[in-house]
Amino acid sequence: MFEAVLMEAEVTEQNTQKLDYRWVRSDKGALAGVCKGLGDALGIETWILRVIWLVAVLWFGSGIVFYLILAVCLPRVDRLDQALDRKLLGVCARIAKRYHIEVGVVRTGFVLFSLVTFGAAILGYGLCYFLIPKADEPASRSKSAGVF
């Protein structure tokens, strides 16, 4: 009986940890919910973020690119149960699970890093697919075991 209570507490803790996302898109936003979601996360009024976004759009159009990146990378608040699903190879989800970082932050960071390095980060992404073990796979049985 004690083991069942302990297992139930672990499952509840995992579900709570899984649903404790700060960087998400809102399901009630005007376009993709990025400004509303970031406003809720940062404690800023949504209209202030929209004005900042508009200034960024008028300034070389960088706001459009950044908004699209966030719209693709950040999970929606009503679909958090799908946040850690594989998008491409599942590398960002593996990193998020392994290091307890929000998956939207990892995905956004990778996309921005890819833009800065002119796509060279994609090679690193492919290497991470083989080197980072899956969350449910022990480190000794991972594909990277014995590489170093």
Side-chain angles (χ1 to χ4, degrees), residues 6-135:
L6 184 60
M7 288 177 53
E8 184 178 331
E10 288 177 12
V11 170
T12 305
E13 181 180 328
Q14 289 173 352
N15 290 340
T16 304
Q17 182 182 9
K18 183 178 177 183
L19 297 176
D20 190 26
Y21 285 98
R22 180 176 176 188
W23 301 101
V24 294
R25 294 184 297 133
S26 174
D27 57 342
K28 297 177 180 130
L31 293 176
V34 173
C35 291
K36 176 114 175 81
L38 290 178
D40 292 343
L42 299 172
I44 300 174
E45 294 288 330
T46 306
W47 68 270
I48 295 172
L49 287 175
R50 288 182 178 145
V51 168
I52 292 171
W53 175 74
L54 184 61
V55 169
V57 167
L58 297 175
W59 187 50
F60 301 116
S62 60
I64 294 173
V65 173
F66 195 62
Y67 190 91
L68 289 174
I69 289 170
L70 290 174
V72 169
C73 294
L74 294 180
R76 265 185 43 175
V77 72
D78 59 341
R79 297 183 187 154
L80 288 179
D81 56 334
Q82 302 169 359
L84 292 173
D85 289 351
R86 291 175 52 165
K87 299 294 182 194
L88 190 59
L89 294 174
V91 172
C92 292
R94 284 189 203 173
I95 292 171
K97 287 178 190 177
R98 185 171 179 89
Y99 298 107
H100 306 290
I101 305 172
E102 291 190 34
V103 70
V105 173
V106 175
R107 287 181 179 140
T108 303
F110 171 74
V111 170
L112 292 176
F113 188 62
S114 294
L115 291 175
V116 170
T117 62
F118 301 107
I122 295 172
L123 294 173
Y125 187 87
L127 288 173
C128 286
Y129 175 72
F130 294 107
L131 296 176
I132 297 176
K134 295 178 183 174

